[in-house]
Amino acid sequence: MSAPGTDMVSDADPRSGERLMAPVARRIVGVLALVTLAALVIVGLWVAPPDEFQGDAQRLMYIHVPAAWLAYLAFGVTAVSSALYLWPRTRSLVWDRVAGASAELGVVFTALCLLLGSLWGRPVWGVWWAWDARLVTTAVLFFLYLGYLALRRVPATLDVRAKRCAIAALIAFIDVPIVHFSVTWWRTLHQEATVFNPELDAEIHGTMALALWIGVLAFTLLYVYLLDLRYRLEVLDEDRDERELEAAIADRVQGGPPRETVGASS
Amino acid sequence: MSLFQEAALVAGKDLRIEARAKVIGQQIVPFGLIVLLLFAFALDPDRGVLQRVAPGLFWITVLLALLLGVSRSFAVEAENGARDALRMSGLDGSSIFLGKASALAVELLVFEALLTVGVVVLFDVRLASLPPLVVGTVFATVGLAATGTLYGVLAAGIRARETLVPVLLLPVVAPVLLGATRSWESSIDGVPGDAWPWVALLGIFAVLFVGIGMLAFGPLLEES
Amino acid sequence: MPLVVRLRSAVCLLGRFPALAGVDLDVAPGETVLLSGGNGAGKTTLLRLVAGLLPLHQGEGEVMGVNLAEDRRSHRSRVAFVAQDTGCYEDLTVRENLRFATRAAGGDDARVDEAIDALELGRLADVRHGKLSTGQRRRLALAVGIARRPDLYLLDEPHAGLDAPGRAYLDQVLARAAEEGRSVLIASHELEMVRPFASREVVLTNGQADGALDAAGSTPAPAPAEAAEAVEATTLEPTP
């Protein structure tokens, strides 16, 4: 048998959920993401005025806030897809792939959010890190989903991995409000001198708001684009594994001369 | 057999094994005490620092012991293919979870009792109001045992489980560390009024994770 | 009568290795089927698949009316899987281990005593598992299995390492299985020990089975194309 299994995946098994969106749609989203990101750079760096108190450091907010929004969006998508995977009627590896891809993006953007927050905090607050409730919650969130990604990398068959990870993702998701609640409570009960002043957020100039909204739009488009790309990569990975498996089955069936066999002809 | 009879069977089995193996008494308790000593080396014992941070040190040590306890609890199921036997046994996943989690909770409570003596003796801590402290400790322990058992089975068949469990478990139990430490602080300061809200939080956490564990343990045991 | 075990083109993976590469197998009620074949032929995997411990990757599988693709649990209480490992805890005694396993399966302590007597474990009843010899462990594993009173025995190399009292009792189990209506799927290297009791012998080679569909009332399914090409019809004399 020549090239066992290579033709099997493509036509014998018309799998569902090969892609999330048509390649054309992805290209359009990609172009839109590029355009809005360019707009963000222009509006954020030149059009919007420097902040009265924070100066140019405030411009970091135009990335920091969208990154935070995206982190929560991504983890929300992970939670919903994990639930859809566990629900027997909607069980499909499509949801597992979406959950995994989204969690990866979520972790990347949470890291970006924390990093930018820290860079911003140094000139504005005077410290790299403050024990502010939102910060602490975000940091715990980051580690919760970092663990989830570690679990995803554990070798296992697709169904085993999908079920295990979906449960872990939901536990993490349920834990987030408890973490948030307890941390907020902790920080408000123990009023230490906090450098965080919520009024800084309140005064937002018109073009500053515009820059923020462009940022949110640009990052959301970028998210959709990357999610689809990551999903596609996952499908290709699975296809390759499937093809290797078909080959392995064929090899096993043909087998070399079996060792120690009882009365089998070759 | 009912859920609780099955759970009691599993818990009895785990506790009997633990009583025989004496790992808790001979390894985990000494480990906890040496950690207390090391804390005293690291922080200056003369300036009252230890008294102030004692609740935090206590619960950090409990978390470390939890990791060891979880690892123990599932190492027992790994020998001689016992996990397969457990899956074949006909016991319900929920009752295995309840059984293993209660055994772990009992082990942790024993550990905590001895560690409390250590904290009182070594760090000169006075426990002013006991009721919230005791109730809070029990709730926290139930919550820790439940989450620990849940992540223990999640990682049971995985080669890298010894490193995976801490990464997964510690962020999830962060609220327990917060709640337990605050309720201890308030109890030590003699302000039980401040402790009770935290005790309530610990109670909610415990109920929630016992519930999740009962639902998820069975499916996770199948995939281990 | 419905089949106890029915596998069609069953593929089962160990990690990414197809330990079973399309197996057909029928076992009728009360039948004792001997699984033979070299090391790595897939015997243990086949038993674990039937026990519901491994998921079916491809193909069909049904055990006592339960579709393995949908439900790997429901039939387990009616199955005794005597594996290479005892499945027992090192720090518990023989009696404690037996009692835990039997109570978990819904049995009472009378069955425990019965199994202890049957396998002459009385003298060892209060000895910890960790102190047992290999032969004694094999006997304990068998005792755990019979105390379950299963409809289907899955025996993985039960003779290996088994001592004389154990072998004598195993012969009895096999001899009585048919009249008690229990089916047996037994993987063994010691063919001469099993053949007198077996109604059929199935040879596993490279995750494939020969002579697997001769059970009363079985209907062969078309094998996968590769399997048909790869395995030339090997005729096997049915054992008396």
Side-chain angles (χ1 to χ4, degrees):
Chain A
M1 203 186 302
S2 63
T6 38
D7 48 357
M8 229 161 186
V9 176
S10 47
D11 47 25
D13 182 10
R15 63 190 63 226
S16 62
E18 279 248 345
R19 48 172 59 97
L20 283 179
M21 50 169 111
V24 184
R26 178 168 72 211
R27 222 162 292 149
I28 292 172
V29 172
V31 170
L32 286 176
L34 265 182
V35 170
T36 45
L37 279 174
L40 175 65
V41 170
I42 294 166
V43 176
L45 288 183
W46 287 289
V47 179
D51 185 84
E52 210 178 323
F53 306 104
Q54 305 172 21
D56 282 334
Q58 185 266 347
R59 295 183 196 277
L60 280 170
M61 285 295 117
Y62 303 138
I63 324 178
H64 172 76
V65 174
W69 143 251
L70 212 59
Y72 282 89
L73 171 74
F75 294 142
V77 168
T78 298
V80 171
S81 345
S82 300
L84 285 170
Y85 179 82
L86 288 178
W87 188 252
R89 284 195 194 167
T90 48
R91 176 159 302 179
S92 155
L93 282 176
V94 170
W95 300 121
D96 176 59
R97 296 182 201 124
V98 172
S102 193
E104 268 182 30
L105 293 171
V107 165
V108 169
F109 281 97
T110 313
L112 185 69
C113 171
L114 287 170
L115 185 75
L116 292 173
S118 188
L119 288 178
W120 173 86
R122 183 66 190 160
V124 178
W125 289 351
V127 286
W128 294 111
W129 180 262
W131 291 98
D132 163 63
R134 253 191 288 178
L135 262 152
V136 178
T137 305
T138 310
V140 175
L141 187 71
F142 175 71
F143 286 109
L144 276 172
Y145 282 92
L146 206 60
Y148 170 82
L149 291 186
L151 189 64
R152 283 198 78 86
R153 279 191 297 271
V154 169
T157 58
L158 291 177
D159 293 331
V160 168
R161 185 187 72 173
K163 194 192 275 182
R164 199 190 258 165
C165 290
I167 291 173
L170 280 187
I171 298 174
F173 185 72
I174 293 168
D175 202 48
V176 170
I178 309 179
V179 171
H180 180 71
F181 181 70
S182 58
V183 169
T184 311
W185 207 2
W186 169 45
R187 293 318 297 170
T188 45
L189 278 184
H190 292 242
Q191 273 298 344
E192 288 165 17
T194 168
V195 279
F196 182 71
N197 178 1
E199 281 170 27
L200 285 181
D201 283 354
E203 308 160 25
I204 292 181
H205 192 272
T207 40
M208 291 181 175
L210 177 69
L212 269 183
W213 282 112
I214 294 177
V216 168
L217 179 67
F219 272 45
T220 309
L221 287 167
L222 186 65
Y223 167 78
V224 174
Y225 176 76
L226 290 175
L227 185 76
D228 185 64
L229 213 59
R230 183 65 188 84
Y231 182 96
R232 191 71 195 128
L233 183 63
E234 185 66 28
V235 170
L236 291 175
D237 259 352
E238 287 173 21
D239 277 357
R240 184 202 53 207
D241 287 351
E242 186 70 18
R243 234 173 291 142
E244 281 173 5
L245 181 66
E246 296 293 347
I249 292 177
D251 278 358
R252 179 127 169 95
V253 168
Q254 286 181 323
R259 291 155 289 170
E260 299 178 53
T261 41
V262 196
S265 64
S266 53
Chain B
M1 273 200 292
S2 75
L3 180 75
F4 291 106
Q5 280 172 315
E6 289 192 350
L9 183 71
V10 175
K13 183 264 296 177
D14 271 17
L15 288 174
R16 180 170 298 199
I17 291 173
E18 233 20 273
R20 293 267 166 77
K22 300 194 177 71
V23 171
I24 305 251
Q26 293 177 356
Q27 293 170 24
I28 300 187
V29 169
F31 162 79
L33 295 176
I34 189 75
V35 169
L36 289 188
L37 269 187
L38 292 180
F39 277 139
F41 294 170
L43 309 167
D44 191 343
D46 291 332
R47 277 183 294 174
V49 179
L50 281 175
Q51 278 100 319
R52 265 193 293 130
V53 296
L57 300 185
F58 177 89
W59 283 103
I60 288 282
T61 314
V62 170
L63 285 191
L64 297 178
L66 170 71
L67 296 176
L68 299 180
V70 169
S71 156
R72 233 342 254 166
S73 173
F74 287 91
V76 161
E77 304 296 344
E79 61 194 23
N80 301 322
R83 208 167 54 238
D84 278 351
L86 203 59
R87 287 165 68 190
M88 293 300 291
S89 68
L91 291 172
D92 190 58
S94 311
S95 32
I96 301 177
F97 170 78
L98 281 183
K100 287 195 83 68
S102 352
L104 185 57
V106 169
E107 292 161 21
L108 281 176
L109 282 172
V110 171
F111 174 79
E112 287 160 4
L114 295 169
L115 199 66
T116 307
V117 175
V119 169
V120 168
V121 171
L122 294 174
F123 294 180
D124 188 26
V125 169
R126 291 190 183 81
L127 310 172
S129 46
L130 273 179
L133 187 134
V134 171
V135 179
T137 303
V138 170
F139 284 172
T141 307
V142 171
L144 291 178
T147 35
T149 306
L150 188 55
Y151 281 100
V153 71
L154 182 77
I158 297 173
R159 223 177 308 149
R161 63 181 167 277
E162 303 296 345
T163 44
L164 195 60
V165 168
V167 170
L168 290 170
L169 182 56
L170 292 180
V172 175
V173 296
V176 178
L177 179 68
L178 259 180
T181 310
R182 292 317 128 207
S183 65
W184 266 56
E185 278 176 355
S186 308
S187 304
I188 288 172
D189 295 345
V191 211
D194 287 355
W196 285 115
W198 288 111
V199 173
L201 179 82
L202 293 171
I204 292 169
F205 187 94
V207 169
L208 191 66
F209 274 91
V210 168
I212 295 173
M214 288 178 66
L215 287 176
F217 189 93
L220 289 172
L221 182 67
E222 285 307 308
E223 310 303 348
S224 68
Chain C
M1 232 199 287
L3 293 165
V4 174
V5 178
R6 182 177 172 279
L7 299 180
R8 291 293 178 276
S9 313
V11 173
C12 199
L13 306 183
L14 293 181
R16 307 218 40 86
F17 174 70
L20 297 184
V23 164
D24 298 337
L25 177 70
D26 283 343
V27 178
E31 201 181 16
T32 294
V33 174
L34 164 61
L35 286 176
S36 61
N39 290 330
K43 300 191 294 289
T44 299
T45 306
L46 180 56
L47 293 177
R48 286 171 60 82
L49 172 68
V50 173
L53 291 172
L54 287 173
L56 188 63
H57 185 73
Q58 283 172 22
E60 299 167 33
E62 210 179 278
V63 180
M64 296 187 282
V66 177
N67 183 349
L68 291 180
E70 290 162 7
D71 179 3
R72 294 191 275 130
R73 279 186 55 99
S74 307
H75 69 289
R76 285 186 194 158
S77 56
R78 298 167 61 195
V79 175
F81 179 32
V82 180
Q84 307 271 27
D85 282 332
T86 54
C88 289
Y89 301 98
E90 289 289 271
D91 290 309
L92 295 186
T93 66
V94 166
R95 189 191 300 279
E96 286 163 350
N97 268 310
L98 259 170
R99 199 182 280 161
F100 175 72
T102 309
R103 281 191 188 164
D108 52 15
D109 289 356
R111 282 201 208 169
V112 173
D113 296 333
E114 211 175 288
I116 287 179
D117 289 343
L119 283 149
E120 299 176 24
L121 287 166
R123 225 166 30 84
L124 299 168
D126 297 318
V127 175
R128 286 191 206 177
H129 183 276
K131 292 185 178 168
L132 297 180
S133 71
T134 311
Q136 291 163 343
R137 285 179 188 219
R138 302 299 304 156
R139 253 195 287 157
L140 173 59
L142 203 55
V144 171
I146 63 161
R148 284 172 78 91
R149 307 256 171 93
D151 294 327
L152 171 64
Y153 278 109
L154 302 174
L155 307 177
D156 194 3
E157 301 287 351
H159 289 97
L162 194 63
D163 46 18
R167 286 184 178 226
Y169 192 75
L170 181 57
D171 283 354
Q172 283 184 44
V173 170
L174 293 174
R176 281 203 311 250
E179 65 189 70
E180 291 172 350
R182 308 185 204 274
S183 313
V184 182
L185 196 50
I186 175 169
S188 188
H189 276 116
E190 303 201 34
L191 306 176
E192 299 315 317
M193 302 288 300
V194 184
R195 276 188 180 135
F197 305 104
S199 47
R200 251 168 344 116
E201 179 172 346
V202 172
V203 184
L204 276 181
T205 315
N206 294 324
Q208 300 273 299
D210 285 327
L213 294 178
D214 302 335
S218 65
T219 45
E226 292 146 23
E229 277 172 40
V231 179
E232 300 198 340
T234 40
T235 42
L236 184 92
E237 308 90 85
T239 40

